[in-house]
Each structure stands twice: as structure tokens, then as C-alpha cells.
Amino acid sequence: MTEPTRVSAAIPGADKELVFETGKLAQQSQGAVLASIGGTKTLVTANGAKKAREGMDFFPLTVDVEERMYAAGRIPGSFFRREGRPTDLAILTCRLTDRPLRPSFPAGYRNETQIVSTIMGSDNKNPYDVLTINGASASLMLSGLPFDGPIGAVRMAFDTDGEWVPHPEHEEIEESTFDLVVAGREAEDGSIAIMMVEANGTERAWEHYQNGAPFVTEEAIAQGLEESKTSIKASIDLQHELVKAYGAREPLEWSAATDYEDDVLAKVTEVAEDRLRDVGAIAVKADREAAERELKDAVRDELADEFPGREKEIGGAIKSVFKRVIRERVVNEGVRIDGRGPADLRPVTAEVGILDSAHGSGLFQRGETQVLNVLTLGMPKMDQLLDNLGPQDKKRYMHHYNMPPHANGETGRVGSPKRREVGHGLLAERALLPVIPNMDEWPYTFRLVSEVLASNGSTSMASVCSSSLSLMDGGVPIKAPVAGIAMGLIYEDGKYTTLTDILGAEDAFGDMDFKVAGTSEFVTALQLDTKIEGLPADVLASALQQAKDARTAILDIMNECISEPRD
């Protein structure tokens, strides 16, 4: 039997090691790494198609996480006694892994690529999600695929003394006030560029705050992100060591797909740029999208004789020019699509008592985004049993998120939730977790359901706001109201412009998606994804403060509607 190539490194600030092994398992995979911390082990494989499918206009990256109950010495609890659909924990790990990997592939790479993480060992102490991110990056480094890595990842827990603990165990996370996952890469100057953040307060956060633990403020989070870079760098260095010890496959020969050629772009710019500026100034989403479709059709007709058979290129060039003119207007004029300034909120309204038959309900609207949240109370025996490799075996507080096609004025499939809906629901759930009363204070199971009725920017943060409203409408004694806001950022010509309360188009055309939820005193959840290399500390600090200002303004409006739980 082949012996594996093994590299390991001590985790800075923790009495444990990060280990990568390759060469023994999954030998036909293009890249395969067994990653482990303590007794938690995951086999992560990376494979890519030799050629892109004809007509592919996006990067088809898939990340799958396969929890195996044997990893913890258990038999699955389902009727068939085998693993079925991915658990929420597995889906969250898929999303956490995808987010920093996807922007690390070159533009124009359209070959189907798949990452599979099979959880083979669980010591019930060390989480497997961050391990999967590190293992995925390591396997890609060996695969020969055009991956611009490595990517390093770390979990940080904010303890009751106000210190950040790297790679904490489950028990340490439960005893902390905040759980922070960070992924990043090494920039050309040797610094660590943050690419992805996922964070939330813990179930016992309020209890710890009442006992004197420091609040998790924007300043504390900025410090945590800075401290995370040490562990991220250690993982990156270990991956380089693995590649040096084992060697990587020959680089894959691939051809970059182009959405349009330079001649088409030049002509589209000439004939359509001014008209696209006018379209980009239409505030109402439906009207703007209709005008954009009409303009695309008109430009295709105008250029049909000059560029026969290249209609798809014309459409791609129009999208590129449209993105540029919108970004230029924001950076150079400080004016956004709907006429707002960078730090302006859209109109916000809040209502409660929408449904008479429900235990509680709240309707929150921000601009064209509208979410109805409904609360249902139940006896303790109605809690949800969990059959996964996480530390919990049940939970009494659930949040589910639904976004049907009609929320965007479209048609499409409805039914079981997709990964996006699961992820958004869990983000909103975790944002409220620190203010939820414990079982001794409130001996009920409760379920929140967010129905997205209209969408144009950050329905997940609108779900946080409407959840807070419906909980108070139903008399649940939450510790404090919670609001959330989505931020964006555009980096152009060396200038950073942070945007408050982004539209859907600003999310698509911008360089950062940054969501923050919290009370008036502390942060309860955070999610960040950036498409650019590196975010200066002062820019991040400014964005956090701008988000806090917006969150405070939203809380003021919510408090005018209902400021405390009903009796």
C-alpha cells in the first residue's frame, strides 16, 4: 500500500495541528487531500472537465459535502438507515467553501469543476467546515486546474475575556460570545487579503454580556479579522509545503471563453453608451429592466448587418458597458442607480399584526424589498431533531426562508428549498440567536418563516428585521430588537466607495457584498464576500461604521412600530 505524503503545522495560539495528507486515498482524483485537525478528518477531492461545454456562459463550480455518520460511530437515524439529502450544516459548509474558491479561478475559465468533501472522522470537538475550506484549496493546488490559490481559512471565537481564540473546539464556541469564520489569500506583497467572512453571536452571548463580557462591537470584529490572518497564513504556507513535497499535476490546457471580441465592444460602446447611462438612471427596477431589454433588442437590430451571427457577443458587450457606466456614475458623481448618495437608505416601513390567525407577524419593507415574517409557537416536544455531525442534536428555534419567483416578477420552479434559501434562512436565524430567551425563560418551541414578497436587494437582512417584528408581536421576550443591512463597495481608479442598502444590480456590479445585523449595542451576525484582492483596514472600519449608522436608523423606525414584546 502506498504511503501518503504528510505535512503538518502547529496552529498558532492553539494546542493542535493542521495536517494534510495525499497520495494514498482517491488516487485517480486529479487532486485529493485528507485534511485533519485532531480526530476530525475530511477527504476533499478536486476535479475538472478537460474542456468547457459549448455555449457555457458561466463558471460551473459545484461544491458538495457528504457527511458520513460512521465518522462519529453512528448509524443514520432515518428509516432507510443511510445518509439522504444534505443537512443544513453540510449545505452551509458547501456555501462557505464555494464563496472564497469561486473568485480564485481566472476569468474565462468555464470548465465544469467539482469539489467533494467526504467527512470521514469526527471527534465531536473540532468542526469540519473550516477544515473543508482548507482541504479544498489544498486539493486544487495539486490538481493542475487553473486555481489562483492557496486559500487559507480559520474559525475564531471571541471569549468572555475579550480575546480571539483560533480554531476553537465546539465547547469553546458555546462558551464564547461570537463565532467568526474567515478565509483569505496571500497578496503579491505578502499580506493576507480577506475574501470571505461568516460570523454570528452565540446562543449564550446575552448571558455572558450580563455577566460582564465585552460586547462584540465593530471594533472587536475588525480586530478579529486582523488576528485571523496569522492562522490563514499558516494554512497557506502548509499548502505550499504539501505541493513542494508531493508535486502537482501538469497544468490543465484550457482556452479562455470570451463573451465578446474587442470590435463588438468598441461598436457597442459607440452606439449605446449614452443610452445605457439613461437606462442606468431609472430608479424603478421593473421599468429599468424593461428599458434595458428594449435597448438590447434595438442595438442587436442596429448591429445585425455589421456583426452577423454575433448577437450573443453584442448582448455580452452591452452588459459590460452597462456595468461600467453604473460604476463610473457612483465613483465620479456619487450618484447611484436610484439617485441616492452612497450612504443613503431607501424608504423603510414596518408593520405588525398582519395575520390575525398567526401567533405573531411582521411586515418589513425597504425600498422595493418586502418580507413578511410569521411566528408560530409550539410545545417543547415540537423541537427539531438533528441528525448531523454538529454538536447539537436538537433545536427549539427555527427560521425558514422562502423566495418564490414572483418576488422578482418571474416564473419558475417552487417547492423544496434550494441552497440559497437554506443559507439565507440560517443567516437570519443566527442573527437573532443571541437575543432569543432560553428554555427556562420561555418554555416554547418557535418557528419563524420569512416570505419574500418582493426582492430588490438583501432579502436576508429584511428577513432579520421582519423576524424581530413578528417575535415582539407574538410576545416572545427577546432581549433587544435586531436589524440588518446590506452594504456594497465599488473600487475604481484607486478609490473605494462604500454603499449603504444596496440594490440587486449594485450587488451584481459591485466589488463587495457585506451584510451586518445587530442590536443598538452589539453585532449579532456578519457576512462578507469580496471580489477584489484585499480590503484596507481603514476601509473596512469605515464600512462597519457606515453599516452601524444604517442599522441604528432602521431600528429607530422599527421601534416606532413596536419597541418591546407584547404582554
Side-chain angles (χ1 to χ4, degrees):
M1 185 70 71
T2 304
E3 287 301 312
T5 297
R6 184 181 189 273
V7 297
S8 63
I11 293 173
D15 186 21
K16 58 184 75 172
E17 283 189 330
L18 174 63
V19 180
F20 294 135
E21 298 179 36
T22 191
K24 183 172 183 176
L25 304 180
Q27 294 173 357
Q28 294 190 48
S29 178
Q30 294 168 28
V33 170
L34 182 67
S36 60
I37 295 179
T40 296
K41 300 177 184 292
T42 179
L43 175 65
V44 190
T45 58
N47 290 274
K50 306 305 179 187
K51 292 189 292 187
R53 294 181 185 175
E54 190 171 346
M56 184 65 67
D57 58 0
F58 67 98
F59 173 35
L61 171 66
T62 303
V63 179
D64 293 305
V65 172
E66 298 289 310
E67 289 182 311
R68 297 293 187 241
M69 291 300 110
Y70 60 67
R74 288 159 44 194
I75 295 174
S78 67
F79 179 81
F80 295 103
R81 292 296 186 262
R82 71 170 296 164
E83 295 83 2
R85 67 180 298 275
T87 65
D88 287 353
L89 179 58
I91 290 173
L92 275 184
T93 305
C94 293
R95 289 170 61 85
L96 279 179
T97 306
D98 183 294
R99 285 159 52 192
L101 295 185
R102 188 173 292 274
S104 301
F105 286 84
Y109 178 67
R110 306 283 171 80
N111 298 29
E112 187 170 354
T113 302
Q114 184 178 34
I115 307 296
V116 180
S117 175
T118 305
I119 315 304
M120 292 187 160
S122 176
D123 60 8
N124 297 317
K125 294 180 180 179
N126 295 287
Y128 69 73
D129 50 2
V130 167
L131 193 59
T132 290
I133 301 172
N134 287 303
S137 174
S139 64
L140 282 165
M141 291 297 293
L142 299 174
S143 68
L145 298 176
F147 172 64
D148 188 14
I151 301 297
V154 62
R155 168 175 268 105
M156 307 285 286
F158 195 60
D159 67 18
T160 54
D161 295 324
E163 300 293 330
W164 287 102
V165 179
H167 287 287
E169 297 181 353
H170 289 307
E171 187 174 333
E172 292 175 300
I173 298 170
E174 292 168 5
E175 292 299 321
S176 69
T177 58
F178 207 70
D179 180 15
L180 175 72
V181 174
V182 190
R185 55 177 294 184
E186 190 170 15
E188 291 183 1
D189 62 1
S191 63
I192 298 299
I194 300 298
M195 300 181 68
M196 184 275 293
V197 179
E198 182 85 13
N200 61 270
T202 64
E203 191 170 2
R204 297 187 60 189
W206 182 264
E207 175 188 339
H208 293 317
Y209 292 151
Q210 295 301 105
N211 291 330
F215 285 140
V216 178
T217 61
E218 285 76 7
E219 292 77 15
I221 290 173
Q223 181 61 34
L225 293 176
E226 195 61 33
E227 291 188 24
S228 73
K229 295 178 181 180
T230 301
S231 294
I232 290 172
K233 180 68 162 60
S235 173
I236 289 172
D237 290 344
L238 189 60
Q239 292 176 56
H240 282 306
E241 184 180 338
L242 178 68
V243 173
K244 183 177 180 180
Y246 185 75
R249 285 177 176 252
E250 287 294 319
L252 174 71
E253 294 185 7
W254 60 281
S255 299
T258 55
D259 294 325
Y260 49 82
E261 298 295 339
D262 290 344
D263 57 341
V264 173
L265 178 62
K267 192 64 179 181
V268 166
T269 302
E270 177 187 335
V271 303
E273 181 172 356
D274 290 341
R275 286 181 283 177
L276 284 168
R277 290 187 191 279
D278 295 336
V279 170
I282 298 175
V284 179
K285 175 184 172 183
D287 295 345
R288 182 175 64 256
E289 291 178 345
E292 185 182 357
R293 287 193 297 269
E294 290 177 8
L295 179 56
K296 281 184 177 180
D297 291 341
V299 173
R300 283 194 182 105
D301 290 342
E302 291 172 28
L303 302 182
D305 292 338
E306 187 172 350
F307 302 104
R310 301 173 70 179
E311 293 82 2
K312 192 171 182 179
E313 286 188 58
I314 295 171
I318 291 172
K319 181 178 179 181
S320 178
V321 175
F322 193 36
K323 175 179 178 178
R324 177 174 58 78
V325 299
I326 287 176
R327 290 167 61 93
E328 286 177 351
R329 187 179 184 220
V330 171
V331 173
N332 298 330
E333 302 175 30
V335 180
R336 296 159 65 178
I337 292 174
D338 55 2
R340 285 182 292 152
D344 293 341
L345 266 174
R346 288 174 288 176
V348 173
T349 59
E351 299 178 47
V352 294
I354 304 299
L355 302 178
D356 295 337
S357 59
H359 293 140
S361 57
L363 181 66
F364 180 84
Q365 183 155 352
R366 184 188 351 92
E368 293 180 291
T369 293
Q370 183 187 66
V371 177
L372 172 67
N373 185 272
V374 185
L375 165 71
T376 306
L377 300 173
M379 299 302 291
K381 65 181 181 181
M382 293 299 293
D383 58 2
Q384 181 184 6
L385 299 179
L386 303 176
D387 191 24
N388 61 28
L389 293 177
Q392 294 179 302
D393 57 8
K394 60 183 178 180
K395 66 178 182 179
R396 58 185 273 266
Y397 157 54
M398 298 157 277
H399 182 281
H400 297 144
Y401 167 104
N402 300 311
M403 182 169 158
H406 67 68
N408 283 305
E410 300 171 350
T411 60
R413 183 184 69 85
V414 296
S416 58
K418 297 178 281 294
R419 287 184 178 185
R420 177 185 176 278
E421 291 176 305
V422 172
H424 278 39
L426 290 172
L427 174 60
E429 178 180 298
R430 292 177 173 187
L432 273 295
L433 186 63
V435 301
I436 294 297
N438 62 40
M439 179 64 86
D440 293 335
E441 298 171 307
W442 187 255
Y444 295 95
T445 294
F446 43 105
R447 178 186 184 229
L448 297 173
V449 178
S450 287
E451 303 286 2
V452 179
L453 305 180
S455 171
N456 188 12
S458 192
T459 53
S460 62
M461 292 297 97
S463 297
V464 171
C465 299
S466 60
S467 295
S468 193
L469 293 170
S470 69
L471 284 165
M472 290 190 288
D473 183 50
V476 179
I478 60 174
K479 307 303 181 182
V482 176
I485 189 67
M487 310 292 290
L489 180 139
I490 292 177
Y491 176 64
E492 202 74 49
D493 298 329
K495 180 181 179 181
Y496 296 89
T497 304
T498 304
L499 306 179
T500 294
D501 183 18
I502 56 174
L503 305 173
E506 291 171 332
D507 185 6
F509 292 160
D511 297 317
M512 181 183 74
D513 177 20
F514 183 27
K515 302 182 179 77
V516 189
T519 70
S520 60
E521 295 183 296
F522 56 90
V523 176
T524 60
L526 172 70
Q527 188 179 83
L528 180 150
D529 294 285
T530 179
K531 305 170 191 174
I532 56 178
E533 186 176 282
L535 198 59
D538 61 329
V539 174
L540 179 60
S542 175
L544 283 166
Q545 184 57 51
Q546 193 169 317
K548 182 179 181 180
D549 293 343
R551 187 173 84 237
T552 301
I554 293 172
L555 282 169
D556 288 342
I557 295 170
M558 291 169 57
N559 288 334
E560 290 176 5
C561 172
I562 183 169
S563 59
E564 59 185 23
R566 297 189 192 278
D567 295 332

